[in-house]
Amino acid sequence: NNTMVLMVTVQAIKEIDRQKIAVLDSGINVLGSPHEEVIALKTRKETSQYRLIGPLCFPSDCIARRIVLPMLETGDKLLILNCGAYTISNSWQFIKTRPPVFLIQSNGVSRIIRRKEELEDMTVLDQK
């Protein structure tokens, strides 16, 4: 039973020192720590081992170091499972705003319960 699942989008695929790296649109600023339970929404016959990293500009923004997934392409969606109920409340803004949050009911009906943050949300309390 997953309390929170984070859906991310593959932004780029790179290869460094023969290791495939998938750059995602969300990182440890939302997740807080690495996660090894990842599902690709698009299945392909061929698989490969990936390092999943977020969009932040520091080395610790790594979601998974070695995970086997179907061959990924830019634009593919991944589900990061078992993120935990405190994922959003413990998330922070650094380079990226927080994503929207959806409630998915047992009957499959979903609704947005928190909208995606905008840049203005990050600066609204600042004095001018």
Side-chain angles (χ1 to χ4, degrees), residues 5-73:
V5 174
L6 178 65
M7 181 185 293
V8 296
T9 303
V10 175
Q11 300 295 299
I13 303 290
K14 301 177 182 225
E15 191 164 328
I16 300 173
D17 296 329
R18 291 183 274 163
Q19 181 179 26
K20 289 187 178 159
I21 298 170
V23 181
L24 309 177
D25 64 349
S26 191
I28 62 165
N29 58 317
V30 173
L31 284 170
S33 62
H35 284 71
E36 298 295 328
E37 293 183 76
V38 179
I39 296 174
L41 292 183
K42 190 175 267 187
T43 58
R44 296 182 177 96
K45 288 183 181 180
E46 263 189 84
T47 62
S48 188
Q49 186 178 71
Y50 290 92
R51 178 183 186 116
L52 302 179
I53 64 170
L56 307 182
C57 57
F58 48 90
S60 61
D61 191 16
C62 181
I63 307 263
R65 296 204 183 284
R66 289 183 179 90
I67 189 163
V68 176
L69 293 168
M71 293 295 285
L72 296 176
E73 296 177 1

Side-chain angles (χ1 to χ4, degrees), residues 85-98:
Y86 297 108
T87 301
I88 294 297
S89 61
N90 287 332
S91 64
W92 38 278
Q93 303 140 322
F94 180 75
I95 299 177
K96 301 287 277 180
T97 55
R98 293 181 188 110

